[in-house]
Amino acid sequence: MAAPRENVNLLFKLYCLAVMTLVAATYTIALRYTRTSDKELYFSTTAVCITEVIKLLLSVGILAKETGNLGRFKASLRENVLGSPKELMKLSVPSLVYAVQNNMAFLALSNLDAAVYQVTYQLKIPCTALCTVLMLNRTLSKLQWISVFMLCGGVILVQWKPAQATKVVVEQNPLLGFGAIAVAVLCSGFAGVYFEKVLKSSDTSLWVRNIQMYLSGIVVTLVGVYLSDGAEIKEKGFFFGYTYYVWFVIFLASVGGLYTSIVVKYTDNIMKGFSAAAAIVLSTIASVMLFGLQITPGSKNVLPSCTVL
């Protein structure tokens, strides 16, 4: 049964899209700084885990404000979280799929040239549009399809550079790399549209849905921390390498994640894709000003992805 449509004015939607775009662009630049500075490198897996915890705490706080009093807040948590294991399982699906996507992305990067990876990974844009049609029974006009593929092509042009600029120093398996990136693209499209379907198929509060998803997200990321960096974290500590800039990146990722869920709730995943593309343009401009990135007609540059954790 479809949920009743909530009346949200256009100004609010534009505001959320603008904030999401600015946060994603700022996040990309800040993340690049923390990963390329001469300070001791922090564990990215722990940053992802902490981001999930902060998003959970923020969602709990917003839900408390939304319910209005402590009694209704406790009742909402009891009914929708503690008393709904089925709903928790339902929201664990995107968390698990995103975990698979991240691992496939690492596998693809290990077996493909960086430029090839950036180009082929942009197939997630038309894949998301296709999942929207198949999973939400939504029809896209010819103009919308043209816009989707133009967006995909534009992002490829921004992020592509000649293959000879990247030197391969390890043995790679291109077939495995392309297989991994195909799985990552499918995961990206499916997880985003699945979450949109869950949000829009009932009148359950957005913040309840976020709490359900972030709980499973914390479990998934903790497993990732243990499997990827467990031994080093035992030796150096969970917060090894953390600076004020790292905490700023985590803050941006947390706020960006919340605004992403709002955008998906009140618009759709295709609009989210256009927002991400705009963030790439802003990141390019900022990289030129802050990092001296050279943009020339004969040599294009691969920029870090504008993906909010």
Side-chain angles (χ1 to χ4, degrees), residues 135-172:
M135 296 172 64
L136 301 180
N137 297 318
R138 193 176 295 165
T139 303
L140 300 183
S141 67
K142 288 183 179 179
L143 181 60
Q144 288 174 312
W145 278 112
I146 291 171
S147 298
V148 165
F149 281 101
M150 284 183 67
L151 172 65
C152 181
V155 174
I156 287 173
L157 288 175
V158 169
Q159 296 197 326
W160 180 80
K161 69 176 179 180
Q164 63 266 26
T166 302
K167 295 180 180 178
V168 178
V169 295
V170 294
E171 185 178 350
Q172 295 180 321

Side-chain angles (χ1 to χ4, degrees), residues 75-260:
S76 179
L77 286 180
R78 192 179 305 113
E79 178 185 353
N80 296 296
V81 180
L82 301 177
S84 299
K86 184 179 178 181
E87 293 300 309
L88 283 175
M89 291 296 294
K90 186 189 295 185
L91 268 296
S92 69
V93 172
S95 297
L96 291 170
V97 174
Y98 279 131
V100 172
Q101 176 192 335
N102 290 334
N103 282 287
M104 289 298 103
F106 278 115
L107 183 60
L109 273 171
S110 301
N111 290 280
L112 293 174
D113 180 88
V116 175
Y117 167 81
Q118 291 280 19
V119 170
T120 52
Y121 191 54
Q122 301 316 315
L123 290 172
K124 66 183 181 180
I125 298 171
C127 181
T128 298
L130 182 61
C131 287
T132 297
V133 171
L134 296 177
M135 296 172 64
L136 301 180
N137 297 318
R138 193 176 295 165
T139 303
L140 300 183
S141 67
K142 288 183 179 179
L143 181 60
Q144 288 174 312
W145 278 112
I146 291 171
S147 298
V148 165
F149 281 101
M150 284 183 67
L151 172 65
C152 181
V155 174
I156 287 173
L157 288 175
V158 169
Q159 296 197 326
W160 180 80
K161 69 176 179 180
Q164 63 266 26
T166 302
K167 295 180 180 178
V168 178
V169 295
V170 294
E171 185 178 350
Q172 295 180 321
N173 184 339
L175 187 62
L176 179 61
F178 281 117
I181 209 164
V183 174
V185 164
L186 290 172
C187 287
S188 176
F190 171 79
V193 177
Y194 178 92
F195 184 54
E196 181 181 349
K197 184 178 178 69
V198 171
L199 285 180
K200 295 178 177 178
S201 62
S202 74
D203 58 356
T204 303
S205 166
L206 168 64
W207 307 110
V208 168
R209 290 303 193 192
N210 277 343
I211 290 169
Q212 291 168 339
M213 186 169 71
Y214 297 147
L215 281 171
S216 57
I218 290 170
V219 174
V220 170
T221 54
L222 279 174
V223 172
V225 168
Y226 175 76
L227 294 178
S228 299
D229 303 305
E232 288 189 82
I233 288 173
K234 284 181 181 178
E235 178 186 343
K236 298 179 179 179
F238 193 88
F239 297 103
F240 174 79
Y242 273 56
T243 64
Y244 290 117
Y245 292 110
V246 175
W247 283 108
F248 180 59
V249 167
I250 291 172
F251 169 76
L252 289 174
S254 303
V255 173
L258 294 185
Y259 271 96
T260 298

Side-chain angles (χ1 to χ4, degrees), residues 46-99:
T46 63
V48 174
C49 183
I50 293 170
T51 298
E52 292 297 301
V53 173
I54 293 175
K55 286 191 290 187
L56 174 64
L57 295 175
L58 289 174
S59 296
V60 169
I62 296 171
L63 178 64
K65 183 178 180 181
E66 184 181 77
T67 51
N69 64 59
L70 186 60
R72 281 203 294 266
F73 171 65
K74 287 182 177 180
S76 179
L77 286 180
R78 192 179 305 113
E79 178 185 353
N80 296 296
V81 180
L82 301 177
S84 299
K86 184 179 178 181
E87 293 300 309
L88 283 175
M89 291 296 294
K90 186 189 295 185
L91 268 296
S92 69
V93 172
S95 297
L96 291 170
V97 174
Y98 279 131

